[in-house]
Amino acid sequence: MSTVLVPVGIAYATASGVLGIYGLYATIVPLLVYAVFGPSRILVLGPDSSLATVILGVVLPLAGKDPDRSIALASMMAVVSGMVCILTGTARLGFVTELLSKPIRYGYMNGIAVTILISQMPKLFGFSIESSGPMRDLWAIGRAIQAGKANWTVFAIGAGTLAVILLLKSTKHVPGVLIAVVGATIIVGGLNLARRADVSVLGPLSGELLRFKIPWIPITDVIPVVIGGCAVALVSFADTSVLSRAYASRIGDYVDPNQEMVGLGAANLAAGFFCGFPISSSSSRTPVAEAAGARTQLAGVVGAVCVALLLLAPNLLKDLPMAALAAVVIASAIGLFEVTDLVRIFHIQRWEFWLSIVCLVGVAVFGAIPGIGLAIMVAVIEFLWDGWRPYSAVLGRVEGIEGYHDITRYPDARQTPGLVLIRWDAPLFFANAELFKRRVLEEVARSPVRVRWLIIAAEPITSIDVTAADALDELDRTLHASGVKLGFAEMKDPVKDKLKRFGLFDQFGEEFFFPTVSAAVKVLSARPTENPPLTMR
């Protein structure tokens, strides 16, 4: 496992806009801290490709190529992310990441993968550009290649490294990343390509010593760092919780999501105070640890110690080509793409597929942090949509089938004359209260015979807010003026309790709250009225 931690840590550090040595610090410290606070037996934490563009999106505009300011900003992002995770886990709010549906998560991660690929292309071709957004960067890369700025020796090294990594990726017991990176380093050093072919290399590992240090930043940088730190917290915990649950289920274990958030937060907080940057779980290094026989977090501790020993030989990787590091990041980005399951979603629920594409385009066009904001906004809209414009149905009795069912699905269903049964398939709240009232009145007006009773099949109604309660009050008064009595069937007791607090329970009358729809039909069918007795038709 240690053979993978070093090149990957350095690669993600450079992709995040900080010096390579900080990738080792962000590997050592989180592994040690997570071994103490983390609940997963096997999970490997450290720098991750899914966070690189988020970190770079904050660091690059604020610090440019200033290494000291870059690591201060990145470290403070880790501190913010750690505090958010710890507070959220302590408050037992670990469920919040579940608000991002699978299609939205796929869209976001696919967008991150595209952004990473674009950001690493200049290094792969041996030139640099001024970053101005993923799509504009792609255009700039194309123009630079067309203008002859590409260094084809650099490209050959990077492409060769990438090919070796991808070819050996499926072989669990062969460290493909290590073989590819060491091979590229030997070739560049042995042929002296840094001088002879202008191949950019990592150079001696240099930077601040691994020590406790508060990452002070200017007050003007606080807002973007806090936003970036919160974005990192959301992405890292979403990834970590999914990976942690997956590995726990393999061994029949259970991982508390709140403790997972605390463990991840503690690892990030420690990384921030020891010259590191935001970290997450790794879907590439964790399988390597598992294949190596890791069964406890002791494997992570051993890995951290081995990486720390490398700091005693800072010149060991001085000939490591930057194109090889770009290849490592690109290989990881390719692994982020989700295509197979999106194809499945396209065939079974097309609108969720297009939601995923919207999130992908949002990240690819606007960048990682605005893309996260778009993903959250889309998730909230998706969450509210079913409740905002829910399905409702008029119910009738179907011959040979127990209960009452949607008359649009069963056109032969019989209704009780004078009684309209309506099922509302959502909580009643401010966004759908007026729609509810309008649909009920429309169904009353549509009835071919005079309506005496209107019963709401209320089992799907799990909650009622003040706006909806006022709408119910208005509906009751409107129906009463037309000689129609409003009642409810199968309403849950907590919802009844709310109606009592709103003062509506007594207004409707306890006798008009029925335990079942069948009970409501039976009672009201037998109730004498000024009209002829009711019969089923």
Side-chain angles (χ1 to χ4, degrees), residues 172-193:
K172 290 185 177 180
H173 298 284
V174 177
V177 173
L178 180 68
I179 292 173
V181 169
V182 169
T185 303
I186 292 174
I187 291 171
V188 170
L191 298 178
N192 196 19
L193 295 181

PDB file of all heavy atoms in Angstrom, residues 172-193:
ATOM      1  N   LYS A 172      -4.670  -6.659  -9.038  1.00  0.00           N
ATOM      2  CA  LYS A 172      -4.665  -6.137  -7.671  1.00  0.00           C
ATOM      3  C   LYS A 172      -3.304  -6.231  -6.997  1.00  0.00           C
ATOM      4  O   LYS A 172      -2.927  -5.369  -6.207  1.00  0.00           O
ATOM      5  CB  LYS A 172      -5.699  -6.891  -6.824  1.00  0.00           C
ATOM      6  CG  LYS A 172      -7.146  -6.579  -7.187  1.00  0.00           C
ATOM      7  CD  LYS A 172      -8.093  -7.267  -6.227  1.00  0.00           C
ATOM      8  CE  LYS A 172      -9.542  -6.900  -6.549  1.00  0.00           C
ATOM      9  NZ  LYS A 172     -10.496  -7.562  -5.605  1.00  0.00           N
ATOM     10  N   HIS A 173      -2.566  -7.290  -7.280  1.00  0.00           N
ATOM     11  CA  HIS A 173      -1.320  -7.526  -6.552  1.00  0.00           C
ATOM     12  C   HIS A 173      -0.100  -6.901  -7.229  1.00  0.00           C
ATOM     13  O   HIS A 173       1.023  -7.084  -6.758  1.00  0.00           O
ATOM     14  CB  HIS A 173      -1.109  -9.035  -6.371  1.00  0.00           C
ATOM     15  CG  HIS A 173      -2.194  -9.689  -5.565  1.00  0.00           C
ATOM     16  ND1 HIS A 173      -2.273  -9.557  -4.197  1.00  0.00           N
ATOM     17  CD2 HIS A 173      -3.260 -10.441  -5.944  1.00  0.00           C
ATOM     18  CE1 HIS A 173      -3.330 -10.228  -3.758  1.00  0.00           C
ATOM     19  NE2 HIS A 173      -3.954 -10.776  -4.793  1.00  0.00           N
ATOM     20  N   VAL A 174      -0.307  -6.183  -8.331  1.00  0.00           N
ATOM     21  CA  VAL A 174       0.797  -5.508  -9.011  1.00  0.00           C
ATOM     22  C   VAL A 174       0.612  -4.004  -8.873  1.00  0.00           C
ATOM     23  O   VAL A 174      -0.402  -3.460  -9.313  1.00  0.00           O
ATOM     24  CB  VAL A 174       0.848  -5.896 -10.506  1.00  0.00           C
ATOM     25  CG1 VAL A 174       1.967  -5.129 -11.212  1.00  0.00           C
ATOM     26  CG2 VAL A 174       1.046  -7.392 -10.654  1.00  0.00           C
ATOM     27  N   PRO A 175       1.562  -3.300  -8.239  1.00  0.00           N
ATOM     28  CA  PRO A 175       1.427  -1.850  -8.039  1.00  0.00           C
ATOM     29  C   PRO A 175       1.662  -1.083  -9.344  1.00  0.00           C
ATOM     30  O   PRO A 175       2.772  -0.589  -9.595  1.00  0.00           O
ATOM     31  CB  PRO A 175       2.485  -1.537  -6.988  1.00  0.00           C
ATOM     32  CG  PRO A 175       3.532  -2.584  -7.196  1.00  0.00           C
ATOM     33  CD  PRO A 175       2.804  -3.824  -7.643  1.00  0.00           C
ATOM     34  N   GLY A 176       0.641  -1.005 -10.167  1.00  0.00           N
ATOM     35  CA  GLY A 176       0.794  -0.392 -11.484  1.00  0.00           C
ATOM     36  C   GLY A 176       1.250   1.044 -11.420  1.00  0.00           C
ATOM     37  O   GLY A 176       2.105   1.481 -12.217  1.00  0.00           O
ATOM     38  N   VAL A 177       0.703   1.827 -10.474  1.00  0.00           N
ATOM     39  CA  VAL A 177       1.094   3.233 -10.347  1.00  0.00           C
ATOM     40  C   VAL A 177       2.574   3.337 -10.020  1.00  0.00           C
ATOM     41  O   VAL A 177       3.314   4.134 -10.615  1.00  0.00           O
ATOM     42  CB  VAL A 177       0.243   3.930  -9.261  1.00  0.00           C
ATOM     43  CG1 VAL A 177       0.764   5.341  -9.000  1.00  0.00           C
ATOM     44  CG2 VAL A 177      -1.217   3.983  -9.683  1.00  0.00           C
ATOM     45  N   LEU A 178       3.034   2.528  -9.064  1.00  0.00           N
ATOM     46  CA  LEU A 178       4.442   2.577  -8.677  1.00  0.00           C
ATOM     47  C   LEU A 178       5.347   2.195  -9.842  1.00  0.00           C
ATOM     48  O   LEU A 178       6.347   2.870 -10.115  1.00  0.00           O
ATOM     49  CB  LEU A 178       4.686   1.637  -7.494  1.00  0.00           C
ATOM     50  CG  LEU A 178       6.131   1.592  -6.992  1.00  0.00           C
ATOM     51  CD1 LEU A 178       6.512   2.920  -6.363  1.00  0.00           C
ATOM     52  CD2 LEU A 178       6.325   0.442  -6.010  1.00  0.00           C
ATOM     53  N   ILE A 179       4.997   1.121 -10.533  1.00  0.00           N
ATOM     54  CA  ILE A 179       5.823   0.673 -11.669  1.00  0.00           C
ATOM     55  C   ILE A 179       5.905   1.756 -12.736  1.00  0.00           C
ATOM     56  O   ILE A 179       6.985   2.055 -13.265  1.00  0.00           O
ATOM     57  CB  ILE A 179       5.242  -0.635 -12.251  1.00  0.00           C
ATOM     58  CG1 ILE A 179       5.420  -1.782 -11.259  1.00  0.00           C
ATOM     59  CG2 ILE A 179       5.893  -0.981 -13.589  1.00  0.00           C
ATOM     60  CD1 ILE A 179       4.729  -3.069 -11.660  1.00  0.00           C
ATOM     61  N   ALA A 180       4.770   2.356 -13.057  1.00  0.00           N
ATOM     62  CA  ALA A 180       4.737   3.381 -14.104  1.00  0.00           C
ATOM     63  C   ALA A 180       5.542   4.612 -13.707  1.00  0.00           C
ATOM     64  O   ALA A 180       6.323   5.150 -14.507  1.00  0.00           O
ATOM     65  CB  ALA A 180       3.283   3.761 -14.398  1.00  0.00           C
ATOM     66  N   VAL A 181       5.364   5.054 -12.456  1.00  0.00           N
ATOM     67  CA  VAL A 181       6.055   6.269 -12.007  1.00  0.00           C
ATOM     68  C   VAL A 181       7.556   6.034 -11.875  1.00  0.00           C
ATOM     69  O   VAL A 181       8.365   6.882 -12.302  1.00  0.00           O
ATOM     70  CB  VAL A 181       5.447   6.745 -10.666  1.00  0.00           C
ATOM     71  CG1 VAL A 181       6.313   7.828 -10.048  1.00  0.00           C
ATOM     72  CG2 VAL A 181       4.034   7.272 -10.885  1.00  0.00           C
ATOM     73  N   VAL A 182       7.941   4.906 -11.295  1.00  0.00           N
ATOM     74  CA  VAL A 182       9.375   4.606 -11.158  1.00  0.00           C
ATOM     75  C   VAL A 182      10.015   4.460 -12.536  1.00  0.00           C
ATOM     76  O   VAL A 182      11.122   4.966 -12.784  1.00  0.00           O
ATOM     77  CB  VAL A 182       9.574   3.328 -10.317  1.00  0.00           C
ATOM     78  CG1 VAL A 182      11.033   2.867 -10.390  1.00  0.00           C
ATOM     79  CG2 VAL A 182       9.183   3.578  -8.865  1.00  0.00           C
ATOM     80  N   GLY A 183       9.311   3.792 -13.444  1.00  0.00           N
ATOM     81  CA  GLY A 183       9.844   3.644 -14.799  1.00  0.00           C
ATOM     82  C   GLY A 183      10.056   4.983 -15.484  1.00  0.00           C
ATOM     83  O   GLY A 183      11.104   5.217 -16.112  1.00  0.00           O
ATOM     84  N   ALA A 184       9.084   5.876 -15.372  1.00  0.00           N
ATOM     85  CA  ALA A 184       9.213   7.202 -15.985  1.00  0.00           C
ATOM     86  C   ALA A 184      10.355   7.982 -15.350  1.00  0.00           C
ATOM     87  O   ALA A 184      11.115   8.681 -16.045  1.00  0.00           O
ATOM     88  CB  ALA A 184       7.894   7.959 -15.828  1.00  0.00           C
ATOM     89  N   THR A 185      10.498   7.858 -14.023  1.00  0.00           N
ATOM     90  CA  THR A 185      11.571   8.570 -13.325  1.00  0.00           C
ATOM     91  C   THR A 185      12.943   8.071 -13.765  1.00  0.00           C
ATOM     92  O   THR A 185      13.871   8.865 -13.997  1.00  0.00           O
ATOM     93  CB  THR A 185      11.406   8.396 -11.798  1.00  0.00           C
ATOM     94  OG1 THR A 185      10.103   8.857 -11.405  1.00  0.00           O
ATOM     95  CG2 THR A 185      12.469   9.170 -11.043  1.00  0.00           C
ATOM     96  N   ILE A 186      13.084   6.758 -13.894  1.00  0.00           N
ATOM     97  CA  ILE A 186      14.373   6.184 -14.317  1.00  0.00           C
ATOM     98  C   ILE A 186      14.718   6.628 -15.743  1.00  0.00           C
ATOM     99  O   ILE A 186      15.874   6.981 -16.040  1.00  0.00           O
ATOM    100  CB  ILE A 186      14.323   4.641 -14.222  1.00  0.00           C
ATOM    101  CG1 ILE A 186      14.244   4.215 -12.753  1.00  0.00           C
ATOM    102  CG2 ILE A 186      15.530   4.019 -14.912  1.00  0.00           C
ATOM    103  CD1 ILE A 186      14.035   2.727 -12.563  1.00  0.00           C
ATOM    104  N   ILE A 187      13.728   6.614 -16.625  1.00  0.00           N
ATOM    105  CA  ILE A 187      13.976   7.015 -18.017  1.00  0.00           C
ATOM    106  C   ILE A 187      14.404   8.478 -18.091  1.00  0.00           C
ATOM    107  O   ILE A 187      15.401   8.821 -18.758  1.00  0.00           O
ATOM    108  CB  ILE A 187      12.720   6.773 -18.875  1.00  0.00           C
ATOM    109  CG1 ILE A 187      12.471   5.276 -19.038  1.00  0.00           C
ATOM    110  CG2 ILE A 187      12.849   7.450 -20.235  1.00  0.00           C
ATOM    111  CD1 ILE A 187      11.144   4.947 -19.686  1.00  0.00           C
ATOM    112  N   VAL A 188      13.687   9.349 -17.394  1.00  0.00           N
ATOM    113  CA  VAL A 188      14.002  10.784 -17.448  1.00  0.00           C
ATOM    114  C   VAL A 188      15.353  11.060 -16.814  1.00  0.00           C
ATOM    115  O   VAL A 188      16.170  11.830 -17.350  1.00  0.00           O
ATOM    116  CB  VAL A 188      12.887  11.600 -16.748  1.00  0.00           C
ATOM    117  CG1 VAL A 188      13.307  13.059 -16.582  1.00  0.00           C
ATOM    118  CG2 VAL A 188      11.592  11.514 -17.536  1.00  0.00           C
ATOM    119  N   GLY A 189      15.633  10.421 -15.660  1.00  0.00           N
ATOM    120  CA  GLY A 189      16.914  10.642 -14.992  1.00  0.00           C
ATOM    121  C   GLY A 189      18.072  10.034 -15.767  1.00  0.00           C
ATOM    122  O   GLY A 189      19.123  10.653 -15.916  1.00  0.00           O
ATOM    123  N   GLY A 190      17.859   8.807 -16.250  1.00  0.00           N
ATOM    124  CA  GLY A 190      18.935   8.126 -16.960  1.00  0.00           C
ATOM    125  C   GLY A 190      19.319   8.805 -18.256  1.00  0.00           C
ATOM    126  O   GLY A 190      20.507   8.843 -18.616  1.00  0.00           O
ATOM    127  N   LEU A 191      18.343   9.349 -18.977  1.00  0.00           N
ATOM    128  CA  LEU A 191      18.621  10.021 -20.252  1.00  0.00           C
ATOM    129  C   LEU A 191      18.815  11.518 -20.100  1.00  0.00           C
ATOM    130  O   LEU A 191      18.990  12.226 -21.112  1.00  0.00           O
ATOM    131  CB  LEU A 191      17.472   9.743 -21.235  1.00  0.00           C
ATOM    132  CG  LEU A 191      17.250   8.261 -21.607  1.00  0.00           C
ATOM    133  CD1 LEU A 191      16.057   8.128 -22.550  1.00  0.00           C
ATOM    134  CD2 LEU A 191      18.506   7.671 -22.238  1.00  0.00           C
ATOM    135  N   ASN A 192      18.756  11.997 -18.867  1.00  0.00           N
ATOM    136  CA  ASN A 192      18.916  13.427 -18.580  1.00  0.00           C
ATOM    137  C   ASN A 192      17.962  14.277 -19.426  1.00  0.00           C
ATOM    138  O   ASN A 192      18.351  15.296 -20.011  1.00  0.00           O
ATOM    139  CB  ASN A 192      20.365  13.857 -18.844  1.00  0.00           C
ATOM    140  CG  ASN A 192      20.679  15.202 -18.197  1.00  0.00           C
ATOM    141  OD1 ASN A 192      19.974  15.643 -17.285  1.00  0.00           O
ATOM    142  ND2 ASN A 192      21.723  15.856 -18.699  1.00  0.00           N
ATOM    143  N   LEU A 193      16.683  13.828 -19.494  1.00  0.00           N
ATOM    144  CA  LEU A 193      15.708  14.500 -20.355  1.00  0.00           C
ATOM    145  C   LEU A 193      15.275  15.865 -19.824  1.00  0.00           C
ATOM    146  O   LEU A 193      14.736  16.670 -20.579  1.00  0.00           O
ATOM    147  CB  LEU A 193      14.485  13.595 -20.539  1.00  0.00           C
ATOM    148  CG  LEU A 193      14.727  12.280 -21.295  1.00  0.00           C
ATOM    149  CD1 LEU A 193      13.424  11.490 -21.418  1.00  0.00           C
ATOM    150  CD2 LEU A 193      15.300  12.571 -22.687  1.00  0.00           C
TER     151      LEU A 193
END
